[in-house]
Amino acid sequence: PCGTYFTYTQDTVWNVYKTRLSDGIAGREHTLENGVIVVLLSDSTAQVSGHTEEISGVIEIPSSVKLQSSTNSCTHDYAIISVKTSAMRETASITGVKLNEGLQTIGASAFYKCTNLGGEISIPSTVTQIGNYAFALCGNFSRIAFNNGTNDLTIGLSAFSSSESNS
C-alpha cells in the first residue's frame, strides 16, 4: 500500500510487509540522468556507488531519488546519505560537484585524483564524516566552504591534500 510505510512499522505484520517491500529493492542500482549511479541500501536510503562512462562536467549529488517499487506500482523516495568509498575515484571528466543537504558521509577516496575537479565546493551541514583522501589530488579548488551546522564533522587524513585552495 502506498503512503502507509510508517503506519506498518508499528503493526504486528511489519516483518511480513518489510520483507515484501524490501524484496528486490536493497542492493538494486539505479543510474541517474547525470550518470551518477546510486545503490539502494534500505527501504528509505541510498548511496552513490559509482558513475557511467559518459559522466562529465559539474555533477550534482541529489538529496534523494524517487523510484518505483519492483513489487507494486508505488513510488518511494530514497534519501541519498553517502558517497561510497572510491565512487568517483580518478574521474578526470568531472569538473565540479554539487553536494546537497541530507548527505551524511563522503567515503574515503570518493573523489580521489579527479584531476579536473575544482572551483568551489560546499560541504552541506548534514555531512558528519569526510573520509581519508576524499578529495586528495584533485584540481584547484577556489573555495572549500563548510556550511553552518557542520560542528560534529570528522575530516579524515589528507582529505583535501594537494587540493589547493585560495581561501
Side-chain angles (χ1 to χ4, degrees):
C2 296
T4 58
Y5 175 85
F6 293 105
T7 304
Y8 273 87
T9 62
Q10 306 302 315
D11 197 277
T12 55
V13 297
W14 168 241
N15 288 330
V16 173
Y17 180 75
K18 183 177 177 184
T19 301
R20 288 182 183 157
L21 183 63
S22 296
D23 185 33
I25 292 177
R28 192 172 104 194
E29 285 190 342
H30 179 73
T31 303
L32 306 180
E33 288 180 16
N34 64 1
V36 171
I37 298 172
V38 296
V39 64
L40 305 181
L41 300 176
S42 70
D43 293 341
S44 62
T45 61
Q47 79 173 355
V48 172
S49 62
H51 59 86
T52 62
E53 303 253 340
E54 295 81 28
I55 197 166
S56 66
V58 177
I59 61 164
E60 179 178 359
I61 307 297
S63 56
S64 67
V65 61
K66 186 178 289 251
L67 299 173
Q68 186 169 339
S69 171
S70 62
T71 58
N72 58 43
S73 62
C74 298
T75 58
H76 302 281
D77 279 324
Y78 297 89
I80 298 178
I81 60 169
S82 64
V83 179
K84 184 178 176 180
T85 296
S86 300
M88 302 290 170
R89 182 185 178 117
E90 297 184 34
T91 308
S93 60
I94 297 174
T95 59
V97 64
K98 181 178 186 231
L99 306 171
N100 283 301
E101 290 293 320
L103 189 65
Q104 298 171 11
T105 304
I106 301 170
S109 302
F111 294 93
Y112 174 82
K113 211 173 180 182
C114 290
T115 54
N116 292 311
L117 177 57
E120 182 173 325
I121 187 166
S122 182
I123 307 298
S125 63
T126 52
V127 171
T128 58
Q129 183 175 359
I130 299 174
N132 296 344
Y133 307 102
F135 293 94
L137 303 180
C138 288
N140 292 331
F141 287 111
S142 59
R143 182 169 186 253
I144 300 170
F146 296 89
N147 290 339
N148 292 338
T150 52
N151 298 333
D152 295 324
L153 175 62
T154 301
I155 300 176
L157 177 71
S158 300
F160 295 94
S161 67
S162 296
S163 295
E164 298 174 19
S165 175
N166 297 327
S167 59

